[in-house]
Amino acid sequence: MSTLTQKINFIDLNAQQQRIRAGVEARINAVLDHGRYIMGPEIGELEQQLAEYVGVKHCVSCASGTDALLMALMADNVGPGDAIFTTPFTFIATAEVIALLGATPVFVDIDPQTYNIDATALAEAIEKVAAAKELRPKGVIPVDLFGQPADYDEINEIAKQHGLRVWEDAAQSFGAEYRGGKACSLAEVACTSFFPAKPLGCYGDGGAIFTNDDEIAEKLRSIRVHGKGSHKYDNVRIGVNGRMDTMQAAVLLEKLTIFEEEVRLRDQVAARYSEKLGGKFTTPPVKADRGSAWAQYSLLSNDRDSEMAKLKEHGVPTAIYYPKPLHLQEAFAHLGHQHGDFPVSEDIAGKIFSLPMHPYLSEADQDYIIAALLK
Ligand SMILES: *Cc1c(COP(=O)(O)O)cnc(C)c1O
């Protein structure tokens, strides 16, 4: 086995920065020159480019992926008494925003192949909540976990039958595809994050909401600035301070110039891992009708602790997304869930771990990681 010549990063933002540093500096300098730090011209330029990339009429940029989800729910007046269906195997933000608005997250277990919300279980959960008549079924937040889009055709159809809204949590899947459409165009409203470690990341916090609906887009632009009406000091609804900084838009505009290539490079890294590790591990299956943005490349192992320890000995960083499903988090203790309520999520949470994944992972470093794992 070859020796390591340089440090292996879990995500390598430096390698990317070396490629685009001059362009990023020029973009940031332009902001320093015009000085419009709040809602400067880069915001509109970015929103137009993102909307075009995704193939949706409106993009409303905002301060984070969490704000994107929160604002999207606010635009539909989500509040107490509303049931919002989502997966317990996701980042806390997905369900946190539901609870923040006083609504109730109703968890639905995941598909053991994709780790995304199970559409059959979703239909059952909606019927159960509707029959109990305690909560009003209002909408669904499917999550495109690790970058692979959920089963939108099935989910959108179920939601339509019950009159529910679908909000796509595409925080991990910007750049992915599903049946000819891009992630962020797969539901009526879609939310993404530009946190630095996401497939498209800025140099701080950032997010965006996408929709073809003119009315929702207008509401979102109002909610983003304290519920403004015709001007800043006319407030027609309760909103938030949810704007993206002009500086972050400037960074994203430069990063967008190489993004398509980076999506391809991530896909090559994933294919190489799967080809060489498939015999020994459960590698992440991507369904034939979609592609992943590979926010994470995750394996399942019955002995994850020793696999991770072995990699650590060889200087290879790993991570666990997510060690504890949301229904077992103390923050959601008020929902009264127990171990065993969502067995697939619990099983996967006990076996999953993620390998270094970024567009600049060299074949030599990848082979080193693979050799260490196969030892
Ligand atoms: C990262 C993430 C979010 C939140 O995005 P932030 O920009 O960190 O607020 C929401 N949902 C999922 C699935 C995420 O991975």
Side-chain angles (χ1 to χ4, degrees):
M1 178 166 175
S2 59
T3 49
L4 204 52
T5 52
Q6 56 180 41
K7 186 169 167 281
I8 293 186
N9 295 299
F10 190 69
I11 288 173
D12 194 345
L13 292 175
N14 272 332
Q16 183 198 51
Q17 192 186 98
Q18 276 177 27
R19 261 189 88 181
I20 55 168
R21 177 80 187 227
V24 169
E25 283 182 2
R27 278 287 189 178
I28 290 176
N29 285 336
V31 177
L32 294 178
D33 288 344
H34 67 57
R36 292 169 62 189
Y37 306 118
I38 301 294
M39 296 303 281
E42 284 80 1
I43 293 289
E45 188 183 350
L46 177 71
E47 288 178 340
Q48 196 187 333
Q49 285 195 23
L50 292 174
E52 238 165 67
Y53 177 85
V54 164
V56 162
K57 190 167 173 196
H58 302 281
C59 168
V60 179
S61 64
C62 61
S64 68
T66 307
D67 270 2
L69 289 162
L70 180 70
M71 289 163 54
L73 297 187
M74 288 172 78
D76 272 309
N77 301 313
V78 168
D82 291 334
I84 310 291
F85 300 83
T86 192
T87 157
F89 195 56
T90 177
F91 182 57
I92 181 76
T94 313
E96 184 182 41
V97 293
I98 301 169
L100 258 177
L101 293 172
T104 304
V106 178
F107 294 119
V108 176
D109 213 350
I110 55 171
D111 173 342
Q113 296 294 309
T114 62
Y115 319 137
N116 285 331
I117 196 166
D118 180 322
T120 309
L122 171 66
E124 289 165 9
I126 295 169
E127 268 152 36
K128 204 168 136 198
V129 169
K133 291 189 172 18
E134 278 172 21
L135 296 170
R136 194 169 43 245
K138 176 99 175 186
V140 188
I141 312 181
V143 177
D144 305 339
L145 202 73
F146 304 151
Q148 175 169 205
D151 294 328
Y152 284 97
D153 282 358
E154 291 83 350
I155 293 166
N156 286 330
E157 180 57 32
I158 293 164
K160 197 170 141 200
Q161 281 166 18
H162 292 87
L164 306 188
R165 174 77 77 201
V166 180
W167 300 277
E168 176 185 2
D169 183 345
Q172 301 182 8
S173 62
F174 193 80
E177 288 182 354
Y178 170 88
R179 301 187 179 178
K182 288 264 191 221
C184 287
S185 75
L186 306 176
E188 290 166 299
V189 183
C191 302
T192 197
S193 163
F194 303 120
F195 180 81
K198 308 283 181 179
L200 177 62
C202 51
Y203 289 153
D205 280 305
I209 310 160
F210 296 84
T211 185
N212 282 316
D213 187 312
D214 297 344
E215 206 177 306
I216 291 177
E218 197 189 314
K219 265 194 190 171
L220 288 169
R221 291 195 177 101
S222 162
I223 290 169
R224 174 167 71 181
V225 190
H226 302 290
K228 78 175 165 79
S230 55
H231 63 89
K232 204 170 154 184
Y233 301 110
D234 173 35
N235 307 100
V236 297
R237 56 172 62 81
I238 297 298
V240 294
N241 174 358
R243 294 169 300 230
M244 175 186 281
D245 294 340
T246 309
M247 284 284 191
Q248 298 305 339
V251 171
L252 284 169
L253 280 164
E254 191 57 32
K255 289 210 186 188
L256 257 180
T257 63
I258 56 167
F259 182 67
E260 263 308 290
E261 185 191 342
E262 290 190 334
V263 173
R264 275 200 306 280
L265 291 170
R266 283 174 183 276
D267 208 42
Q268 282 172 19
V269 170
R272 193 176 173 86
Y273 271 143
S274 289
E275 184 196 322
K276 305 205 170 187
L277 294 171
K280 188 174 173 201
F281 295 92
T282 304
T283 55
V286 177
K287 291 191 176 177
D289 58 358
R290 66 202 77 177
S292 179
W294 298 110
Q296 303 298 337
Y297 184 92
S298 308
L299 298 173
L300 299 184
S301 165
N302 287 322
D303 194 5
R304 141 178 102 187
D305 289 353
S306 60
E307 301 295 353
M308 290 174 71
K310 196 164 69 182
L311 287 170
K312 194 174 173 195
E313 260 173 44
H314 288 89
V316 178
T318 55
I320 298 178
Y321 303 103
Y322 295 93
K324 195 195 266 190
L326 299 187
H327 65 288
L328 300 177
Q329 295 284 358
E330 195 180 337
F332 290 119
H334 62 281
L335 298 174
H337 285 298
Q338 308 174 357
H339 278 275
D341 282 359
F342 301 101
V344 183
S345 297
E346 291 168 33
D347 181 54
I348 302 291
K351 294 176 177 166
I352 204 155
F353 68 105
S354 301
L355 300 180
M357 164 52 81
H358 58 82
Y360 306 102
L361 190 62
S362 69
E363 289 194 352
D365 282 355
Q366 228 193 331
D367 287 344
Y368 175 89
I369 297 166
I370 291 162
L373 262 173
L374 293 178
K375 254 192 182 166

